[in-house]
Amino acid sequence: MEAIFGIILSAILSENFILVKFYGICPFMGVSKKIDTALGMGMAVTFVMALASAACYLINLILIALNLEYMQTVAFILVIASIVQVVEMFLKKSVPALYKALGVFLPLITTNCAVLGVVLVNVQKSYNFLLSVVNGAAGGLGFTVAIVLFASIRERVNKAQCPECFKGFPIALISAGLLALAFMGFSGLSIF
């Protein structure tokens, strides 16, 4: 139980995939203009990360049994792409407004390095099935926390007065940097 709590805490705070490891910056910058789309993207990434962690753990067992460990990255990307296609079809049918708001960033979850990163971290740290799924889900929650926090900051900053040269993307980069610095304060919190 202590291991699970430690993984959850570190994946959300001290080893946050966006703000500490800098994985998944593309959707972080692209989908964070509004809180509702950021939350939708975070939920989609969380679901994909948890499911990909479970599926890739099983795929990795097969690869190890066949002495094909060198094929891990290719196999993991194929599994992630399949999962994203299912999520995309589900959102298109069930939540068309969110599907339209996420736009091109939804299929880009396939190439989101945070999703592949969590799967590779699971393999590198030799997590068992349960710990892999917990790390995937917690990594997705950390992704969601980071993107929703950043979206709320961006909404606030867009209404504030700032020099013309900082408006738009420059102030967003400065805000992202300050948010990443704030998360660095959790670095001593890591249990594993």
Side-chain angles (χ1 to χ4, degrees), residues 40-73:
M41 178 60 126
M43 290 188 306
V45 168
T46 301
F47 179 74
V48 170
M49 282 177 129
L51 206 56
S53 293
C56 289
Y57 177 83
L58 300 173
I59 295 295
N60 192 46
L61 291 178
I62 295 168
L63 292 173
I64 290 171
L66 298 173
N67 289 325
L68 296 172
E69 292 94 348
Y70 61 91
M71 294 294 292
Q72 285 176 336
T73 304

Side-chain angles (χ1 to χ4, degrees), residues 105 133 184:
F105 292 100
V133 174
M184 284 180 65

Side-chain angles (χ1 to χ4, degrees), residues 64-129:
I64 290 171
L66 298 173
N67 289 325
L68 296 172
E69 292 94 348
Y70 61 91
M71 294 294 292
Q72 285 176 336
T73 304
V74 174
F76 294 164
I77 290 173
L78 289 173
V79 169
I80 292 167
S82 302
I83 292 169
V84 170
Q85 286 298 312
V86 170
V87 169
E88 188 175 1
M89 289 186 297
F90 172 77
L91 287 178
K92 189 174 184 178
K93 292 285 184 187
S94 302
V95 192
L98 180 59
Y99 173 79
K100 193 171 188 172
L102 293 176
V104 71
F105 292 100
L106 186 59
L108 285 178
I109 294 175
T110 302
T111 58
N112 186 342
C113 53
V115 179
L116 182 59
V118 74
V119 173
L120 293 175
V121 166
N122 292 340
V123 171
Q124 289 171 352
K125 292 189 176 183
S126 300
Y127 286 155
N128 62 26
F129 181 77

Side-chain angles (χ1 to χ4, degrees), residues 99-182:
Y99 173 79
K100 193 171 188 172
L102 293 176
V104 71
F105 292 100
L106 186 59
L108 285 178
I109 294 175
T110 302
T111 58
N112 186 342
C113 53
V115 179
L116 182 59
V118 74
V119 173
L120 293 175
V121 166
N122 292 340
V123 171
Q124 289 171 352
K125 292 189 176 183
S126 300
Y127 286 155
N128 62 26
F129 181 77
L130 176 64
L131 295 181
S132 293
V133 174
V134 167
N135 190 41
L141 288 174
F143 184 95
T144 304
V145 165
I147 200 168
V148 169
L149 276 173
F150 187 57
S152 63
I153 291 170
R154 282 184 81 173
E155 282 187 3
R156 174 78 173 132
V157 167
N158 285 339
K159 294 178 183 175
Q161 291 183 352
C162 67
E164 191 66 35
C165 62
F166 287 119
K167 286 189 178 180
F169 200 66
I171 196 71
L173 287 174
I174 292 168
S175 301
L178 292 173
L179 189 58
L181 281 172

